[in-house]
Amino acid sequence: MPERTPAREIQELARPVAEAQIDVRRARSLRHDLIARALGDPDFDSRANWNEKVAAALRIIHRCCRCEDIPAEDVRLMESKLEGPDKFITILSEIARRLPALDRYERRALSRRKFAIRALDAARTRLVEAARPTLTE
């Protein structure tokens, strides 16, 4: 078993700080990517609107099979796209459902990082105190 030197002890205590920081960055990056990807998607649609489009597509297929006219509102719905403020609001409301889980993950990582930093600081303080010459010497 390798000897436990002060430098090794500090390195071992610094690892959980780094791991927690990576998890914090991962959560923040994922949140940013979710929003950026949705905003950058020209065909982004809400789940509810997507479900309506699927139902309209099924109605269109059913009518085509029976050689019936297709309602104009179904065609308009299939061609519709979210744009501008409506798209932004829809994206935020869709992503808002996923954010609580991401926030919990980030808060846990921040808490782990905080306790790891405290342990690291305490060890560093002990090492400094141990290395400090006493006044009686």
Side-chain angles (χ1 to χ4, degrees):
M1 188 166 172
E3 184 182 335
R4 192 171 165 106
T5 64
R8 182 125 175 108
E9 181 181 358
I10 294 296
Q11 184 179 14
E12 288 174 9
L13 290 169
R15 184 173 290 115
V17 175
E19 289 170 352
Q21 180 61 28
I22 288 169
D23 288 343
V24 169
R25 295 287 300 154
R26 185 178 294 137
R28 290 177 179 171
S29 177
L30 182 57
R31 181 183 304 114
H32 177 268
D33 289 347
L34 277 172
I35 295 170
R37 208 172 326 129
L39 287 173
D41 182 1
D43 298 322
F44 180 85
D45 215 345
S46 70
R47 282 195 194 278
N49 204 29
W50 178 256
N51 291 340
E52 286 180 34
K53 285 183 177 182
V54 169
L58 291 173
R59 284 192 304 271
I60 290 170
I61 291 169
H62 185 71
R63 287 176 171 262
C64 283
C65 289
R66 295 185 307 184
C67 297
E68 296 177 359
D69 289 337
I70 299 169
E73 60 269 4
D74 283 347
V75 174
R76 277 194 301 277
L77 177 62
M78 295 301 292
E79 294 174 344
S80 68
K81 284 189 179 183
L82 289 172
E83 293 179 6
D86 291 335
K87 179 179 178 180
F88 186 68
I89 290 168
T90 303
I91 288 170
L92 291 181
S93 66
E94 292 283 322
I95 291 175
R97 292 186 199 127
R98 297 181 188 173
L99 293 181
L102 258 174
D103 288 342
R104 275 192 308 276
Y105 183 82
E106 182 180 4
R107 280 195 313 272
R108 286 181 187 138
L110 287 167
S111 179
R112 281 188 293 115
R113 185 183 69 180
K114 178 179 71 174
F115 284 107
I117 288 171
R118 285 180 184 170
L120 178 62
D121 286 344
R124 288 175 54 201
T125 301
R126 279 194 314 272
L127 288 172
V128 167
E129 293 296 323
R132 184 177 291 154
T134 59
L135 294 176
T136 58
E137 291 180 9

